[in-house]
Amino acid sequence: MIIVEEVQNKHHKREFLEFPVRLYERDKNYIRPLDQHIEEIFDPEKNKFFKNGACKRFLFKKNNQTVGKVAVFINGCYEQKQPTGGIGFFDCINDQETANFIFDHCKNWLLEKGMEAMDGPINFGERDKFWGLLTEGFVEPLFGMNYNLPYYKELFENYGFQVYFEQLCFTRLIFSEVSRIFTIAHEKNRRNPAISAQPMKKNNLAKFAKDFTEVYNKAWACHGEGKQLEEAKVLKMFNTMKPIINEHISWFVYENEKPIAMWINMPDLNQWFKYLNGKFGIFEKLKFLFLKRFKKNEKMVGLVFGVVPEWQKKGIDGYMIWEGTQHLRKHTDFTITELQWIGDFNPKMIKIAEALDTTVTRKLATYRYLFDRNKEFERHEIL
């Protein structure tokens, strides 16, 4: 018999964090996320999505031993054709009956909230973290990326979840040859005196937050369930990221003073965080600073790439990529870059990634389960 316990006290919260550590103890690729990054998601004072949503966490036990955990939620900002809830932070022993019990529990909770489907595993927040189920490429996860055991795929699909969209992660060696398409585009735009490229600098984050917001809202807002970014919130995010911003690897392109493109990269923090065992107290912060100073980080992560509509298909992406690549080759230790992920619904970005002579090194999947089993399933529309 499976006992359900809602996460309500310190003991429950600790078990929610510690159960995966026991489950993955023999997996050399598992990197424990920082506890505080998980707990902040479930803190109504720190997660803005509680304002228009609801979330509960549950532990599942057999014989007084934890056999699974999950978070289930509704997010008012998650606009879909039918009311769709989410599940995330799912971990489970390799037992279909247990997984089915967990999924049924989530489905019933969401049905009571008027939902008609559930997506998972996703985040009670933005798509840039803890989104999707790893299905290929079981290597060390990037910072903020979900990692799971291979059998999870069967647990989801055997229950009836179907792939809503695949998330492709492209990797490229920094010193690999850059496609001639990009070098030609670079040369063409370099001759235009109105075009310039600038790396993001820590001492002027207000300017770059403004420019980021402008480019993102023009290039991407229509693809994110209608979401628009606010400049003040972007600046707050940039200030939070300031200690780990590398001034050589994030780039903006301007037509005169008007921002028209951006390419945002960060060091992969997991290359340092994997030594902290999920903690970030005073000792761990000192250790992090030591690691950041003396341990080379050779992996950077591509977070966001965007070109405003009026400059698309004019080679400005090639100009920006080659301009930035030449610079970071000289001024950083990075040898490999991996794009956070690109949805298979975005063929334009996939073509750009492929033109960089990248290879797909891992795949994740966002699954969807329709409560009405007779309803026709539709994948994410192609952009």
Side-chain angles (χ1 to χ4, degrees):
M1 180 178 179
I2 299 178
I3 303 299
V4 183
E5 295 182 1
E6 183 181 340
V7 175
Q8 294 181 311
N9 55 43
K10 290 183 179 180
H11 173 74
H12 290 142
K13 292 177 180 178
R14 177 53 49 196
E15 182 63 7
F16 195 86
L17 297 170
E18 295 293 341
F19 172 62
V21 179
R22 301 195 299 271
L23 197 63
Y24 294 90
E25 63 181 350
R26 296 183 180 179
D27 190 329
K28 65 180 182 179
N29 292 315
Y30 175 70
I31 297 177
R32 179 176 179 172
L34 293 188
D35 293 349
Q36 68 181 52
H37 289 164
I38 302 296
E39 285 302 303
E40 286 171 357
I41 293 169
F42 304 108
D43 186 343
E45 294 184 2
K46 295 182 179 180
N47 187 345
K48 64 182 180 180
F49 291 97
F50 274 97
K51 294 179 181 178
N52 296 300
C55 177
K56 294 289 185 182
R57 285 187 286 172
F58 298 97
L59 298 169
F60 301 85
K61 296 188 175 183
K62 284 183 182 178
N63 301 320
N64 206 34
Q65 298 294 318
T66 303
V67 292
K69 70 173 182 66
V70 76
V72 56
F73 40 84
I74 54 173
N75 183 347
C77 299
Y78 192 54
E79 300 176 8
Q80 302 291 323
K81 289 182 178 180
Q82 70 278 311
T84 302
I87 65 170
F89 304 91
F90 168 89
D91 281 296
C92 183
I93 62 173
N94 190 4
D95 180 71
Q96 190 67 53
E97 183 179 350
T98 301
N100 290 350
F101 185 95
I102 296 172
F103 294 143
D104 282 343
H105 184 80
C106 294
K107 178 181 70 174
N108 293 334
W109 189 89
L110 291 168
L111 280 169
E112 291 178 358
K113 304 292 182 182
M115 298 295 106
E116 298 176 6
M118 59 182 175
D119 286 356
I122 64 174
N123 186 22
F124 185 46
E126 306 290 358
R127 283 184 175 182
D128 63 333
K129 290 184 176 67
F130 305 118
W131 201 285
L133 187 87
L134 184 65
T135 58
E136 294 182 24
F138 291 87
V139 295
E140 288 185 349
L142 303 178
F143 170 69
M145 178 173 282
N146 274 342
Y147 181 83
N148 52 265
L149 293 160
Y151 65 79
Y152 280 32
K153 182 176 186 288
E154 292 183 2
L155 297 182
F156 272 80
E157 293 183 358
N158 287 344
Y159 181 76
F161 280 94
Q162 295 173 267
V163 175
Y164 182 47
F165 60 85
E166 275 198 317
Q167 303 160 226
L168 309 177
C169 297
F170 293 84
T171 297
R172 184 179 188 281
L173 299 177
I174 297 294
F175 289 90
S176 293
E177 184 178 355
V178 174
S179 170
R180 189 166 180 268
I181 296 173
F182 288 94
T183 56
I184 292 173
H186 176 270
E187 183 61 25
K188 170 188 172 183
N189 285 285
R190 186 182 65 83
R191 295 197 212 101
N192 185 343
I195 301 298
S196 63
Q198 297 180 28
M200 184 164 70
K201 296 292 185 180
K202 294 182 181 182
N203 63 1
N204 203 0
L205 289 183
K207 164 188 165 51
F208 291 111
K210 180 177 183 298
D211 297 343
F212 178 97
T213 306
E214 183 173 339
V215 174
Y216 180 91
N217 284 342
K218 288 182 178 180
W220 284 110
C222 62
H223 303 323
E225 280 80 41
K227 176 186 157 188
Q228 292 271 324
L229 292 182
E230 298 176 14
E231 182 181 332
K233 292 181 179 179
V234 172
L235 178 57
K236 182 179 179 180
M237 177 181 67
F238 278 13
N239 282 324
T240 300
M241 295 164 57
K242 189 173 182 179
I244 50 94
I245 288 175
N246 184 306
E247 296 185 320
H248 301 291
I249 62 176
S250 289
W251 288 78
F252 288 79
V253 176
Y254 298 87
E255 180 189 20
N256 296 316
E257 298 299 318
K258 182 181 178 181
I260 59 174
M262 63 177 177
W263 180 29
I264 307 299
N265 300 281
M266 287 290 160
D268 177 24
L269 296 181
N270 267 2
Q271 297 306 305
W272 296 313
F273 284 168
K274 64 183 178 181
Y275 299 103
L276 305 183
N277 192 32
K279 307 297 186 288
F280 207 56
I282 294 175
F283 172 77
E284 288 80 16
K285 288 178 180 177
L286 292 174
K287 187 175 182 179
F288 171 74
L289 292 175
F290 177 85
L291 290 167
K292 186 171 177 288
R293 175 68 178 84
F294 294 104
K295 186 171 181 57
K296 284 185 178 182
N297 188 341
E298 297 185 345
K299 179 179 283 190
M300 71 180 205
V301 183
L303 300 179
V304 184
F305 186 103
V307 179
V308 298
E310 57 267 34
W311 274 92
Q312 292 175 8
K313 299 182 179 180
K314 295 183 178 180
I316 209 68
D317 49 354
Y319 168 78
M320 178 168 57
I321 288 168
W322 186 226
E323 192 77 9
T325 297
Q326 291 179 95
H327 179 90
L328 69 90
R329 282 178 174 177
K330 295 178 181 178
H331 299 283
T332 76
D333 295 318
F334 297 112
T335 62
I336 189 170
T337 181
E338 182 171 349
L339 307 185
Q340 183 76 358
W341 60 263
I342 300 174
D344 64 359
F345 52 81
N346 192 344
K348 292 180 181 178
M349 277 303 302
I350 288 175
K351 285 183 178 180
I352 291 175
E354 291 174 340
L356 279 170
D357 297 323
T358 56
T359 56
V360 176
T361 49
R362 72 179 102 213
K363 293 181 181 180
L364 297 94
T366 296
Y367 284 98
R368 172 162 291 179
Y369 182 89
L370 301 179
F371 298 158
D372 181 352
R373 304 309 292 160
N374 294 315
K375 188 173 183 179
E376 183 180 358
F377 182 85
E378 296 181 6
R379 288 190 59 143
H380 193 296
E381 64 179 339
I382 301 298
L383 301 181

